[in-house]
């Protein structure tokens, strides 16, 4: 059976929460995701965000300076998801559907440069199966937010023919995912770690190859692998 493709699914990205200030004090808000293929706007309502304060975890300065040793944690409460569609004249968005989520999703962190933390979602999994994978993106499918693996998703780029893959330095997405989620230290003694640089390089090469492929009209063609 053909797997569902991740490319055009509504999603919540941790980097959007960061951009909207939801990981640094702002406690509620809306997260938009624009569907480039249909022009729809998907809006996730966030009711509240809780993040452990470093001060709470580390009462004295000594412990605080060893911040790298222990991660921060948090919680995001998703209340609902609204789909907005463009009107007939493509002038204005109108709300067309709202789905209730009422779902709390845990946040995890890994240490980053200069005592900062990099945030991740802890995937809630689907059904009784708890996943807890550290992921940067949660996909929305069948009214559930979960990681790519739990939704059993594939990417369109997997359908690129093998001879094309060699040209553009496409890497195995699973391998890139694993590199990022197993990354513990982004820097050591003020310098980026080798592992971090390798993950960055591979991701950059991969994205460039995918962009080049899509620019050639790759999405319009169907491939069998
Ligand atoms: Zn998962």
């Amino acid at each position: 059976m053909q797997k569902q493709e991740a490319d055009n699914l509504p999603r919540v990205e941790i980097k959007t929460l960061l951009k909207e200030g939801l990981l640094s004090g702002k406690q509620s808000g809306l997260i938009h995701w624009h569907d480039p293929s249909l022009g729809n706007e998907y809006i996730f309502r966030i009711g509240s965000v809780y993040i452990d304060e470093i001060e709470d975890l580390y009462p004295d300065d000594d412990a605080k300076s060893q911040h790298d040793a222990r991660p921060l944690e948090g919680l995001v409460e998703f209340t609902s998801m609204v789909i907005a569609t463009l009107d007939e004249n493509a002038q204005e968005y109108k709300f067309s559907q709202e789905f209730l989520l009422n779902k709390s999703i845990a946040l995890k962190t890994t240490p980053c440069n200069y005592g900062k933390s990099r945030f991740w979602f802890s995937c809630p999994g689907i059904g009784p199966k708890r996943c807890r994978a550290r992921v940067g993106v949660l996909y929305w499918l069948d009214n559930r937010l979960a990681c790519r693996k739990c939704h059993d998703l594939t990417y369109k780029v997997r359908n690129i023919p093998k001879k094309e893959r060699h040209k553009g330095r496409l890497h195995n997405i699973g391998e890139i995912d694993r590199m990022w989620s197993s990354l513990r230290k982004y820097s050591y003694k003020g310098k980026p770690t080798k592992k971090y640089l390798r993950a960055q390089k591979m991701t950059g090469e991969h994205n460039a190859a995918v962009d080049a492929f899509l620019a050639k009209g790759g999405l319009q063609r169907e491939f069998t692998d």
Side-chain angles (χ1 to χ4, degrees):
M1 203 181 96
Q2 184 91 40
K3 280 191 175 188
Q4 170 84 36
E5 284 166 343
D7 306 66
N8 289 321
L9 279 184
R11 72 202 59 180
V12 182
E13 301 190 24
I14 204 86
K15 65 181 180 196
T16 315
L17 267 74
L18 191 67
K19 211 171 81 190
E20 296 294 323
L22 287 159
L23 301 176
S24 52
K26 200 178 155 203
Q27 288 185 333
S28 64
L30 304 172
I31 295 294
H32 287 248
W33 186 76
H34 182 77
D35 178 351
S37 63
L38 297 172
N40 291 342
E41 200 77 11
Y42 294 83
I43 304 154
F44 293 86
R45 289 183 201 274
I46 291 181
S48 40
V49 178
Y50 306 98
I51 292 169
D52 283 344
E53 296 292 329
I54 301 176
E55 282 74 16
D56 294 346
L57 284 172
Y58 310 103
D60 56 81
D61 285 349
D62 228 26
K64 217 185 288 181
S65 69
Q66 291 174 25
H67 165 212
D68 268 12
R70 264 177 71 181
L72 289 171
E73 302 207 346
L75 201 68
V76 182
E77 286 179 0
F78 290 91
T79 50
S80 65
M81 203 281 280
V82 175
I83 302 179
T85 48
L86 275 175
D87 66 10
E88 310 78 55
N89 310 314
Q91 295 292 315
E92 266 178 56
Y93 279 105
K94 54 176 188 206
F95 291 107
S96 65
Q97 265 178 301
E98 179 160 18
F99 300 85
L100 288 180
L101 288 170
N102 292 326
K103 181 89 189 160
S104 295
I105 290 178
L107 293 172
K108 299 277 171 196
T109 61
T110 49
C112 201
N113 290 342
Y114 313 110
K116 285 184 185 166
S117 298
R118 180 188 168 108
F119 281 92
W120 306 87
F121 293 114
S122 173
C123 172
I126 290 176
K129 196 188 96 192
R130 302 290 290 271
C131 168
R132 293 197 183 96
R134 272 201 319 245
V135 291
V137 183
L138 291 171
Y139 295 93
W140 187 78
L141 182 65
D142 301 330
N143 207 19
R144 286 191 184 98
L145 280 168
C147 76
R148 185 173 57 80
K149 228 177 233 172
C150 286
H151 279 315
D152 197 23
L153 302 175
T154 182
Y155 289 105
K156 277 200 168 80
V157 293
R158 289 234 166 104
N159 297 330
I160 296 173
K162 285 210 172 73
K163 62 178 168 62
E164 296 268 351
R165 291 185 197 193
H166 296 304
K167 286 182 197 165
R169 297 201 51 87
L170 269 178
H171 296 286
N172 180 311
I173 291 169
E175 195 186 331
I176 294 179
D177 280 354
R178 277 194 300 280
M179 280 179 79
W180 282 109
S181 58
S182 69
L183 208 57
R184 305 267 163 207
K185 278 205 174 290
Y186 289 74
S187 65
Y188 182 69
K189 291 184 177 172
K191 284 185 179 168
T193 60
K194 276 185 189 155
K195 208 171 165 187
Y196 174 56
L197 290 176
R198 197 162 70 235
Q200 259 194 336
K201 184 166 175 267
M202 275 178 73
T203 310
E205 285 173 352
H206 182 85
N207 289 343
V210 173
D211 287 349
F213 180 74
L214 297 184
K216 283 198 302 186
L219 284 184
Q220 270 86 59
R221 295 161 61 191
E222 280 211 51
F223 298 111
T224 47
D225 215 7

